[in-house]
Amino acid sequence: EVQLVESGGGLVQPGGSLRLSCAAFGFRFDDYAMHWVRQVPGKGLEWVSGINWNSGSIGYADSLKGRFTISRDNAKNSLFLQMNSLRPEDTALYYCGKDNSGYYKNGDLDSWGQGTLVTVSS
Amino acid sequence: QAGLTQPPSMSKGLRQTATLTCTGNINNIDNRGAAWLQQHQGHPPKLLSYRNNDRPSGISERFSASRSGNTASLTITGLQPEDEADYYCSAWDNSLSAVVFGGGTKLNVL
């Protein structure tokens, strides 16, 4: 059974940084692209970033470029999101999602974690 | 960035059929199709249909997806109380180089 477990969320001041992690279980992690998607409580879904199976290609939402960095460690079955220069509008539940192909431009997220909450506030 | 367009809400009776729609453009749905996700309050999204309209393993046959041009549809037959949820469509947008989502449709089962 596929399981994705996010961690690293919390309360951070504006301008601060956080590093989110996603531990993957139950599938061959290095065969699949991965994504981060966020959701403000009570609102819709927003794609944040995606990464190919081998980190060879990476993409970001235009509004986030330059502040967020996605990465993965296939040896540790883990996905990461480094978030810098955080703003109050970055407050959201951040989900890790598995693509059903090795390429994030496929965009079919077939498994999701429970999410980790990031709150940016002074 | 621009996303896909979904009606914000729909209400249907028990055992009725609901058809949810998702409108995009030539850069997303018309080009690559759309996936459908179900999200219950307080839970993560769950994939109901891949972009090619196939259902993942374990998803009921009551859920079926289709596409016509730049509009994707999800039909739910024999509505049950547990079908009350938010439904999102998603697609890869070649122009934006991003996954785009619809705003979601809240389905109420009366």
Side-chain angles (χ1 to χ4, degrees):
Chain A
E1 178 192 1
V2 173
Q3 190 177 8
L4 300 170
V5 181
E6 302 94 337
S7 60
L11 176 63
V12 61
Q13 291 189 339
S17 298
L18 273 180
R19 188 186 194 220
L20 305 184
S21 299
C22 171
F25 305 92
F27 65 101
R28 186 166 172 144
F29 184 71
D30 55 6
D31 274 351
Y32 295 95
M34 298 294 293
H35 301 262
W36 288 100
V37 175
R38 68 185 183 181
Q39 184 174 36
V40 173
K43 302 296 184 182
L45 301 167
E46 180 187 16
W47 183 75
V48 171
S49 181
I51 184 169
N52 279 6
W53 66 278
N54 62 352
S55 304
S57 183
I58 286 173
Y60 300 95
D62 276 346
S63 60
L64 301 173
K65 281 178 185 172
R67 296 193 299 123
F68 289 13
T69 303
I70 191 173
S71 62
R72 64 190 294 162
D73 184 339
N74 286 348
K76 295 183 178 179
N77 291 347
S78 294
L79 176 72
F80 306 101
L81 185 69
Q82 178 66 42
M83 303 187 297
N84 298 330
S85 303
L86 283 163
R87 305 167 181 168
E89 56 264 36
D90 294 319
T91 294
L93 188 61
Y94 284 73
Y95 292 107
C96 159
K98 170 187 165 293
D99 201 288
N100 76 326
S101 86
Y103 305 94
Y104 77 90
K105 292 184 181 182
N106 182 59
D108 259 342
L109 283 73
D110 63 0
S111 297
W112 296 63
Q114 293 293 318
T116 186
L117 183 63
V118 172
T119 303
V120 184
S121 174
S122 54
Chain B
Q1 49 199 24
L4 308 174
T5 301
Q6 297 182 253
S9 65
M10 173 182 290
S11 295
K12 288 286 186 180
L14 207 57
R15 294 182 295 277
Q16 287 190 331
T17 295
T19 298
L20 288 66
T21 61
C22 170
T23 303
N25 59 45
I26 194 170
N27 295 308
N28 42 63
I29 293 177
D30 203 18
N31 187 292
R32 304 276 297 273
W36 286 93
L37 302 151
Q38 177 192 59
Q39 185 178 35
H40 288 106
Q41 181 72 24
H43 292 268
K46 180 172 76 173
L47 184 71
L48 295 178
S49 173
Y50 292 104
R51 287 188 295 107
N52 64 2
N53 300 327
D54 285 347
R55 278 186 304 274
S57 173
I59 299 301
S60 169
E61 292 179 352
R62 296 190 299 108
F63 295 92
S64 63
S66 62
R67 174 171 67 98
S68 176
N70 65 359
T71 298
S73 299
L74 177 72
T75 298
I76 312 171
T77 59
L79 282 169
Q80 300 297 309
E82 60 265 30
D83 297 331
E84 186 161 287
D86 294 320
Y87 292 84
Y88 294 93
C89 55
S90 70
W92 176 260
D93 191 295
N94 282 329
S95 175
L96 298 173
S97 288
V99 176
V100 290
F101 290 93
T105 296
K106 182 174 182 58
L107 177 63
N108 299 299
V109 179
L110 306 174

